[in-house]
């Protein structure tokens, strides 16, 4: 009953927006019209052993399948368009012999219009800023990640500048929050400015500033946290250099006074038959000398972690997954195209805490947490079909027994997946009157 009412409510919203566009299109028939409907079917099977990854919290080893079914529609005119992405996420696991619905939701549902040289976008929308470290649309996740609010955009040949005002509200709890595109957002309100400048000589600069207002779970009081910084990059024919850095200050949701930082230097070498990326991430934590009302824990906000800290997501929730001790992650990524349709990639990570963990006796232990290797294959036989396979393993040290991720630090932790994505345009209609 609830499922039917939810679908009817969401579809009613969609048809209402499409009706608005149809009425507007009849007012001015001299403008080109474009209606596009894309359908995506994306099943993925995953296997884990010896470490904790949602939705598994007890069984080992664990095997489950998820599938995303998404219908994307957009109706465009010269100065505005409406876009909607309605998705249903299905899952099967070894606790359930039959399938169940993880979520039915709109990944995106927004209206965008243009006034002079400025675009305004209103509604639920994905958000990918810069390299995705702090704000990402989370494309690998079945549910993706989206935000609700208004986005103001202005761009030219060499620069772009975005302002965003975003908010969260009480969302339905009928489905599992882990499969919602918005339920993982931690802020009550969020202000963002993103500025990008690019030259014709291989140099670019990106500045990102955000203030999120966090609500204390006990008192309901709001605390303001600011994140400011940016990234510079320089490209030549074969080499690429970049430095990403941010400061974070204000107060966190625990009302602690916050001062934290993030650095990511990287170099990349592109050869005819391979690409090599060498870099490191430094995510600050809290040392033992800080008082209880202070914190040095950097929060990576609303980006993705697997892209930077390993496919297995051993370290994805900061500061919880490192017990507030920070993370230092040197890495080496290698991509080798075997032919025009098939490529292989290897990601190698070393993991250290910035400050030592303590054992049960209160003594400092080794900062070295272990290493991870991710081997993945990407095969695109035709334009509409993409097949991805990956096998990853994490070798722990004794220090990992004090972090809540690896079940047995003396054994190898394993994760593997096979994902098939089939996407095609069901309707692609253009008309000029």
């Amino acid at each position: 009953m609830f499922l039917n009412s939810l679908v009817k409510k969401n579809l009613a919203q969609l048809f209402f927006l499409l009706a608005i566009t149809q009425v507007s299109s009849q007012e001015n028939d001299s403008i080109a019209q474009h209606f596009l409907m894309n359908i995506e079917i994306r099943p993925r099977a995953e296997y884990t052993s010896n470490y904790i990854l949602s939705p598994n919290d007890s069984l080992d080893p664990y095997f489950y399948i998820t599938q995303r079914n998404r219908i994307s529609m957009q109706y465009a005119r010269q100065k505005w368009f409406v876009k909607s992405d309605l998705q249903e996420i299905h899952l099967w696991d070894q606790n359930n012999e039959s399938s169940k619905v993880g979520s039915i939701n709109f990944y995106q549902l927004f209206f965008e219009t243009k006034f002079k040289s400025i675009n305004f976008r209103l509604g639920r929308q994905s958000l990918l800023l810069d390299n995705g470290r702090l704000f990402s649309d989370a494309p690998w996740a079945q549910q993706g990640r989206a935000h609700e609010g208004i986005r103001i955009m202005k761009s030219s040949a060499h620069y772009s500048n975005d302002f965003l005002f975003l908010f969260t509200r009480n969302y339905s709890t009928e489905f599992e929050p882990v499969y919602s595109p918005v339920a993982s957002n931690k802020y009550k309100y969020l202000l963002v400015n993103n500025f990008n400048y690019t030259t014709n000589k291989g140099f670019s600069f990106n500045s990102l500033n955000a203030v999120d207002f966090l609500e204390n779970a006990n008192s309901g009081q709001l605390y303001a946290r600011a994140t400011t910084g940016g990234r510079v990059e320089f490209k030549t024919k074969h080499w690429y250099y970049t430095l990403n850095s941010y400061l974070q200050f204000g107060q966190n949701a625990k009302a602690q006074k916050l001062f934290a930082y993030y650095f990511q230097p990287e170099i990349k070498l592109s050869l005819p038959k391979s690409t090599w990326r060498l870099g490191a991430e430094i995510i600050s934590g809290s040392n033992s000398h800080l008082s209880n009302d202070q914190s040095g824990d950097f929060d990576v906000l609303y980006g993705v972690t697997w892209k930077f800290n390993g496919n297995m997501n051993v370290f994805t929730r900061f500061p919880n997954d490192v017990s507030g001790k920070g993370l230092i992650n040197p890495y080496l990524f290698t991509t080798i195209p075997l032919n025009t349709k098939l490529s292989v990639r290897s990601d190698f990570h070393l993991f250290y805490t910035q400050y030592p963990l303590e054992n049960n006796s209160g003594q400092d232990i080794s900062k070295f947490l272990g290493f991870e290797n991710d081997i993945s294959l990407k095969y695109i036989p035709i334009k509409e079909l993409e097949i991805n396979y990956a096998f990853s393993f994490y070798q722990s040290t004794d220090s990992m027994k004090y972090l809540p991720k690896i079940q047995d630090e003396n054994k190898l932790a394993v994760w593997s997946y096979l994902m098939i994505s089939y996407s095609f345009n069901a309707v692609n209609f253009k008309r000029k009157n």
Side-chain angles (χ1 to χ4, degrees):
M1 188 68 181
F2 173 82
L3 183 60
N4 291 333
S5 63
L6 178 65
V7 172
K8 291 178 180 178
K9 180 180 178 181
N10 286 336
L11 290 178
Q13 293 173 346
L14 173 61
F15 292 142
F16 174 73
L17 287 172
L18 290 177
I20 293 176
T21 65
Q22 185 62 33
V23 171
S24 300
S25 67
Q26 293 173 356
E27 294 177 355
N28 190 345
D29 290 334
S30 63
I31 299 176
Q33 305 173 57
H34 185 197
F35 177 75
L36 177 66
M37 177 188 291
N38 178 270
I39 297 177
E40 181 196 39
I41 302 172
R42 194 172 85 165
R44 181 169 71 222
E46 298 182 56
Y47 172 86
T48 70
S49 177
N50 193 41
Y51 90 110
I52 300 171
L53 179 69
S54 179
N56 170 36
D57 59 0
S58 59
L59 295 178
D60 186 54
Y62 188 69
F63 176 81
Y64 63 103
I65 298 173
T66 58
Q67 178 169 316
R68 181 175 79 193
N69 305 304
R70 180 182 287 179
I71 300 176
S72 300
M73 292 184 285
Q74 68 178 48
Y75 182 78
R77 297 293 295 261
Q78 184 179 6
K79 292 187 177 181
W80 54 265
F81 74 95
V82 176
K83 181 171 178 60
S84 70
D85 299 316
L86 179 63
Q87 65 185 20
E88 185 261 353
I89 299 175
H90 231 74
L91 60 146
W92 299 261
D93 64 22
Q94 54 195 43
N95 287 325
N96 298 276
E97 295 181 359
S98 59
S99 66
K100 64 179 179 178
V101 176
S103 174
I104 296 178
N105 218 319
F106 274 105
Y107 169 54
Q108 294 191 103
L109 181 61
F110 66 79
F111 172 80
E112 182 173 330
T113 187
K114 187 174 184 179
F115 179 74
K116 293 185 178 181
S117 60
I118 301 177
N119 284 55
F120 296 86
R121 181 178 295 176
L122 177 65
R124 179 176 293 186
Q125 53 197 278
S126 63
L127 187 59
L128 174 62
L129 300 180
D130 192 35
N131 65 351
R133 192 58 185 102
L134 297 187
F135 291 91
S136 172
D137 50 1
W140 190 86
Q142 295 286 45
Q143 70 277 7
R145 174 177 284 137
H147 304 262
E148 295 184 342
I150 184 169
R151 182 176 185 177
I152 305 172
M153 301 167 282
K154 182 176 176 59
S155 62
S156 69
H158 293 288
Y159 80 89
S160 64
N161 197 22
D162 292 5
F163 288 94
L164 299 105
F165 173 74
L166 308 169
F167 61 89
T168 61
R169 51 192 172 85
N170 293 326
Y171 301 107
S172 171
T173 57
E174 185 70 19
F175 296 115
E176 297 187 28
V178 70
Y179 294 111
S180 166
V182 290
S184 62
N185 296 333
K186 301 181 288 292
Y187 56 85
K188 186 72 173 179
Y189 304 102
L190 174 62
L191 301 174
V192 183
N193 173 238
N194 185 69
F195 175 80
N196 181 267
Y197 176 76
T198 304
T199 69
N200 294 327
K201 298 182 179 180
F203 174 80
S204 66
F205 168 74
N206 191 88
S207 172
L208 199 158
N209 301 280
V211 178
D212 49 354
F213 296 87
L214 309 171
E215 186 174 19
N216 184 282
N218 297 321
S219 66
Q221 185 173 348
L222 292 181
Y223 297 96
R225 177 181 65 182
T227 305
T228 181
R231 188 166 67 95
V232 294
E233 58 181 358
F234 181 72
K235 303 176 184 178
T236 65
K237 184 177 181 180
H238 297 292
W239 291 93
Y240 167 87
Y241 311 88
T242 187
L243 175 63
N244 205 2
S245 60
Y246 292 97
L247 287 177
Q248 204 167 71
F249 53 91
Q251 288 182 295
N252 59 24
K254 298 179 181 179
Q256 295 173 309
K257 186 176 180 180
L258 177 66
F259 185 80
Y261 56 87
Y262 168 91
F263 292 104
Q264 183 208 9
E266 182 183 295
I267 60 173
K268 180 172 71 173
L269 174 61
S270 298
L271 300 174
K273 295 185 178 181
S274 63
T275 301
W276 302 78
R277 293 172 54 193
L278 177 65
E281 274 205 326
I282 301 172
I283 302 173
S284 73
S286 299
N287 63 45
S288 57
H289 301 296
L290 290 178
S291 60
N292 291 333
D293 62 348
Q294 294 180 309
S295 174
D297 300 329
F298 188 90
D299 188 333
V300 294
L301 298 185
Y302 312 101
V304 291
T305 52
W306 58 264
K307 182 178 177 181
F308 301 89
N309 300 132
N311 288 357
M312 293 181 69
N313 275 341
V314 176
F315 306 104
T316 182
R317 298 170 301 172
F318 293 95
N320 293 344
D321 286 347
V322 290
S323 292
K325 297 302 181 180
L327 183 70
I328 299 175
N329 168 210
Y331 59 82
L332 175 64
F333 299 164
T334 306
T335 303
I336 301 174
L338 302 179
N339 53 49
T340 57
K341 298 181 179 181
L342 179 64
S343 63
V344 60
R345 173 169 169 165
S346 172
D347 295 0
F348 184 81
H349 299 264
L350 296 173
F351 295 105
Y352 302 81
T353 55
Q354 182 187 22
Y355 301 106
L357 297 164
E358 295 181 351
N359 61 20
N360 296 331
S361 301
Q363 298 174 324
D364 290 348
I365 59 176
S366 172
K367 298 179 182 179
F368 183 45
L369 301 176
F371 66 88
E372 178 180 334
N373 192 204
D374 308 317
I375 307 295
S376 57
L377 294 171
K378 179 185 288 187
Y379 180 51
I380 307 177
I382 57 176
K383 180 182 178 181
E384 296 81 6
L385 180 64
E386 181 176 312
I387 301 172
N388 289 271
Y389 171 76
F391 178 84
S392 303
F393 65 89
Y394 186 95
Q395 180 60 61
S396 305
T397 66
D398 289 340
S399 299
M400 282 298 292
K401 72 173 64 175
Y402 302 101
L403 295 177
K405 298 297 288 189
I406 305 299
Q407 297 178 359
D408 186 345
E409 70 280 359
N410 296 315
K411 297 180 180 179
L412 199 68
V414 172
W415 173 74
S416 183
Y417 81 91
L418 174 65
M419 182 170 69
I420 301 172
S421 177
Y422 181 60
S423 175
F424 63 95
N425 291 335
V427 180
N428 190 0
F429 174 75
K430 299 179 182 179
R431 186 176 70 179
K432 290 186 178 181
N433 291 330

